[in-house]
Each structure stands twice: as C-alpha cells, then as structure tokens.
Amino acid sequence: MRHTAIDPFQTSRFADVGLQLLKAAGVEQLVVHHAELSELRLPAMVGRADRFDFAFVDGSHRFDAVFVDLFYLSRLLVPGAVVVLDDLQLPSVARAAAFYVNNLEWTIEECSTSPEHHWIALRTSSVPDERPFGHFVDF
Ligand SMILES: C[S@@+](CC[C@H](N)C(=O)[O-])C[C@H]1O[C@@H](n2cnc3c(N)ncnc32)[C@H](O)[C@@H]1O
C-alpha cells in the first residue's frame, strides 16, 4: 500500500505535527509527503502517469482550487474510484463537486448527516469522458 499526501504548509503552519504523528504510529514508511501546492503537484503526477485508487480532498477550499484538484484527480484515479471531499458545507466546495456530478456522471455514494460539518463521498465515472464540446450542464 502507498499513501501520497500533498501539503505545502505542513512545516510552516503545522510544525510537522502530521508527519510526527505518522512516525509515532509507525506508518511513516507507507506515506510519501509532497510539500507542494496540490495545483502544481497533481499535474506533475498526471505527467508521470501515476494512478490512485482513492482520494481525500481537504486542501485549499476556494472554488477554483477544489475544481482544479478534482480535474487532475479525474485523470489520476482509476475509473469508478471514490473521492471523499471534506467541508461540503462551504458553497465553494459544494459548487465544485456539483460540476463533476452534473457534467461528468460522478455519483454520490454517501454524505455526512452532521448539521455543521459536511463531507461527501463521490464515485468517479467508470466510462471514458466523451462529451462533445457543446455539452454543458449548469451546476
Ligand atoms: C482544513 S486543513 C485539513 C488538514 C487535514 N486534512 C486534517 O483534516 O487535519 C487544510 C489543509 O490544506 C492545506 N492546503 C492549503 N492550501 C493548499 C494547496 N493549495 N495545496 C495543498 N494543500 C493545501 C493546508 O496546509 C492544510 O493542511
């Protein structure tokens, strides 16, 4: 098993506490951490033809950042993979997710029920994206 984590601010904002916890749990060798912005690291991974079975998205919560993370993940994940998206209560996150559900046939597997903090599990499409250029569903 291989787990890849992307966080450019692990050291500067969090004093490496996440990496220290991985070490304390004895699982540090399973995790590769990239101290880079996801909007830069994910396209590099696409260029290397990396593939992943699952993704958890909880980085920058601005609409454009989440949209771009999901754009590159759709190219990195195996068909029909699950992506969990945190903080869906934020309109920016919810709207980004809605694009993929309405336009790319991603499906909703499960949502949290807590009133304050929402997450959603999406399943990516298992068929290739063959939309014509005129295709667009508002989201
Ligand atoms: C809401 S926290 C969530 C952290 C972790 N998933 C957790 O639950 O404890 C958001 C994280 O995204 C990171 N982040 C912010 N902008 C980012 C970006 N552009 N690319 C990758 N990570 C980013 C922050 O440094 C922070 O660690």
Side-chain angles (χ1 to χ4, degrees):
M1 190 188 68
R2 181 177 58 118
H3 181 96
T4 299
I6 304 173
D7 189 345
F9 307 119
Q10 175 61 200
T11 303
S12 60
R13 284 198 201 153
F14 302 104
D16 285 337
V17 71
L19 296 173
Q20 286 168 25
L21 287 170
L22 290 172
K23 193 170 183 180
V27 295
E28 65 184 313
Q29 74 285 356
L30 299 179
V31 181
V32 177
H33 168 238
H34 297 280
E36 289 172 67
L37 298 164
S38 58
E39 59 265 41
L40 301 183
R41 187 66 220 166
L42 291 172
M45 289 173 168
V46 173
R48 289 160 32 114
D50 288 346
R51 291 295 254 179
F52 295 93
D53 298 314
F54 169 83
F56 177 67
V57 178
D58 192 19
S60 168
H61 292 344
R62 295 186 183 118
F63 167 81
D64 40 338
V66 181
F67 183 89
V68 166
D69 282 351
L70 296 175
F71 176 87
Y72 286 113
L73 285 169
S74 72
R75 285 150 177 77
L76 287 163
L77 289 163
V78 298
V82 169
V83 184
V84 174
L85 199 48
D86 201 24
D87 291 314
L88 196 79
Q89 74 281 357
L90 298 175
S92 51
V93 177
R95 190 59 76 89
F99 171 82
Y100 292 88
V101 171
N102 290 359
N103 283 274
L104 287 180
E105 297 183 33
W106 291 18
T107 54
I108 298 170
E109 284 284 314
E110 202 172 331
C111 285
S112 64
T113 49
S114 145
E116 295 99 36
H117 176 222
H118 295 185
W119 53 261
I120 191 168
L122 298 169
R123 189 173 291 282
T124 66
S125 177
S126 53
V127 295
D129 178 10
E130 291 177 343
R131 286 167 298 157
F133 286 169
H135 177 276
F136 181 76
V137 179
D138 208 355
F139 60 97

